[in-house]
Amino acid sequence: MVSLERRADYFVGRFEAMASHCEVLVDTRSESLAREITRLAADEVTRIEHKYSRYRDDNILHHINSGAPTRVDAETARLLDYAQQLYQLSDGLFDISSGVLRRVWRFDGSDRLPDAAEVEALLPLVGWDKVMWQAPLIQLAPGMEIDFGGIGKEYAADRVAQLASAFPLPQHTQPGHTPSVLVNLGGDLAVTGPRHDGSGWRVGIETGATGANAKAADFSLQQGGVATSGDAKRYLQKDGRRYSHVLDPRSGWPVSGAPHAVTVAAATCTDAGMLSTLALLQGAGAEAFLREQDVPYWCQW
């Protein structure tokens, strides 16, 4: 269900998808235009969710994970190529085949760690280098599976921004008055361009703290994307040690020494998400990694 709220000089559209509260801020005084763009956003995010959700048994991801040779469409091929590129750039730290480790890891805030032997037994099923991928054909080894959880939401935010930028305007709209749109999918943001007065959208980064320290940063975003990765809600804690849900696919165990959260601003939401995740995978070296990328970032230790 899509809802719409009028603010002083823009509209906020809302819907639920990808297990997240989603918002679309449309810089227009036209309620009908804001509603149409919100519906466009909801339809596109839902399409991507249905196509790549690992919880469905009627989509292309389910077919790939069955182990059968699968011929994929152009969109899926681009995502697989991107995942392969990230795997190579990160020396195997970013691996869309590492999801099988969820079979023994439950990041529910408890102190229940898996047995080391259970983790070890799953490692033969992890490793993009074991996947047979030659576009447009892919085949996984028996027992392996992939998922796009590490890039799906960011990709959806960028897709909505692209579609909103090309949305056909009503005939009475003056040329050059394409409204600025901010897409917010559970905290992953994409912005199409500056607002009508040349300003950006105000973005606040939450620390998880309360009271006066609730925000770590507040900045203006005119274009591009912002994404956050961290363990604020998904972690384990045992004997005074906090275990992040970010797993090193090479060992099967959580990365240690990493910030609780990393937020990155980049040219696209997908790039921001990739960099924030790769930073977390560096552990204590997260900030050094981000400085090398020369992008705005915020780390919460």
Side-chain angles (χ1 to χ4, degrees):
M1 177 182 294
V2 168
S3 65
L4 199 65
E5 176 185 354
R6 183 190 297 270
R7 297 288 178 86
D9 59 351
Y10 65 93
F11 283 88
V12 182
R14 295 187 176 89
F15 59 92
E16 300 288 326
M18 294 186 166
S20 299
H21 300 300
C22 304
E23 292 183 335
V24 182
L25 279 59
V26 186
D27 189 19
T28 181
R29 295 182 183 277
S30 169
E31 180 174 347
S32 60
L33 178 60
R35 189 174 297 281
E36 286 302 308
I37 290 178
T38 301
R39 284 176 176 155
L40 172 84
D43 289 347
E44 180 64 3
V45 175
T46 300
R47 180 191 71 81
I48 293 171
E49 179 180 20
H50 287 183
K51 185 172 182 178
Y52 297 118
S53 171
R54 65 176 182 269
Y55 301 108
R56 299 178 67 95
D57 61 4
D58 60 351
N59 60 17
I60 191 168
L61 187 66
H62 180 77
H63 195 274
I64 292 171
N65 287 338
S66 73
T70 304
R71 181 180 295 272
V72 305
D73 61 287
E75 181 181 44
T76 306
R78 287 194 297 272
L79 288 174
L80 290 170
D81 282 342
Y82 185 65
Q84 178 170 267
Q85 183 182 20
L86 294 182
Y87 176 82
Q88 294 167 344
L89 289 174
S90 67
D91 292 328
L93 279 175
F94 189 101
D95 193 333
I96 63 171
S97 73
S98 63
V100 294
L101 296 169
R102 288 189 303 270
R103 296 174 187 173
V104 296
W105 286 102
R106 304 282 189 275
F107 293 98
D108 54 6
S110 71
D111 62 353
R112 294 187 294 272
L113 299 181
D115 186 86
E118 294 179 308
V119 177
E120 188 73 22
L122 289 174
L123 291 182
L125 302 179
V126 178
W128 175 260
D129 56 337
K130 301 167 187 168
V131 175
M132 290 181 285
W133 166 235
Q134 182 64 52
L137 292 175
I138 184 171
Q139 183 173 19
L140 306 185
M144 289 188 72
E145 61 183 63
I146 62 171
D147 73 72
F148 295 107
I151 53 179
K153 194 179 294 181
E154 295 90 340
Y155 169 70
D158 285 335
R159 278 288 303 161
V160 172
Q162 292 169 2
L163 293 175
S165 295
F167 191 79
L169 299 176
Q171 291 184 349
H172 65 273
T173 304
Q174 296 180 13
H177 281 214
T178 302
S180 173
V181 175
L182 181 149
V183 184
N184 175 8
L185 304 184
D188 291 329
L189 313 180
V191 172
T192 61
R195 299 190 61 189
H196 65 278
D197 59 0
S199 67
W201 296 94
R202 300 304 302 176
V203 175
I205 301 173
E206 296 181 353
T207 65
T210 59
N213 297 321
K215 289 184 178 179
D218 184 281
F219 61 96
S220 174
L221 183 66
Q222 291 190 333
Q223 192 159 22
V226 175
T228 299
S229 299
D231 64 1
K233 298 180 180 178
R234 298 175 59 201
Y235 63 92
L236 297 174
Q237 189 148 348
K238 185 177 179 62
D239 298 331
R241 178 181 173 184
R242 186 182 177 98
Y243 292 82
S244 166
H245 78 281
V246 179
L247 299 171
D248 185 333
R250 300 168 303 185
S251 67
W253 284 81
V255 173
S256 62
H260 286 316
V262 173
T263 299
V264 174
T268 66
C269 188
T270 303
D271 286 347
M274 174 266 291
L275 290 172
S276 62
T277 300
L278 290 181
L280 281 179
L281 288 166
Q282 306 302 316
E287 289 207 69
F289 168 80
L290 289 167
R291 282 194 294 271
E292 292 177 356
Q293 312 311 311
D294 195 24
V295 293
Y297 70 88
W298 298 263
C299 290
Q300 300 163 25
W301 295 91

